Amino acid sequence: GDTALLRCPDHNFLILETTTSTTTTSTTPTSKIHALVEISREPVDAERNPPPIPLPLWYKQLYAHARSSNCQPPNGWVSNLLVDPRSRGRGYGKLLMLAAEGI
């Protein structure tokens, strides 16, 4: 299988998918997404969750500076971890969380 990685400075999706090669009835490869995790860098603030729409990193850094007395940089935040019900029990969620720790 293939693992796709889309990398941005402050907002990422890690997607675990498999691609099936062409068959005699189809010339187009098919792919299936088994799981995904959405991670972003967010200001350290125990009193709020990140907004539903990703904000630019410069805004997060400005917010962190204004709200924090020790000016901590934005930290990693997992906002979604989704595993297809038919793909559960195979360790895909654990695998994606381990990969997310490396970003």
Side-chain angles (χ1 to χ4, degrees):
D2 300 320
T3 302
L5 171 64
L6 173 63
R7 207 165 193 174
C8 299
D10 65 323
H11 196 88
N12 296 280
F13 287 89
L14 298 175
I15 301 169
L16 181 68
E17 73 177 329
T18 54
T19 303
T20 307
S21 60
T22 59
T23 64
T24 56
T25 58
S26 173
T27 58
T28 306
T30 59
S31 64
K32 175 180 177 10
I33 294 177
H34 296 279
L36 70 86
V37 65
E38 180 181 5
I39 57 176
S40 61
R41 291 173 54 199
E42 298 294 335
V44 178
D45 188 346
E47 297 179 10
R48 77 165 196 69
N49 286 330
I53 299 170
L55 298 173
L57 182 59
W58 66 265
Y59 180 84
K60 294 175 191 180
Q61 291 169 332
L62 181 65
Y63 179 86
H65 182 72
R67 293 276 301 183
S68 177
S69 60
N70 58 3
C71 297
Q72 293 181 351
N75 284 344
W77 179 272
V78 173
S79 55
N80 288 299
L81 173 62
L82 307 167
V83 179
D84 185 301
R86 297 165 293 190
S87 299
R88 292 185 180 159
R90 299 179 186 169
Y92 292 155
K94 289 178 187 178
L95 180 66
L96 286 175
M97 289 303 295
L98 286 170
E101 288 179 7
I103 291 182

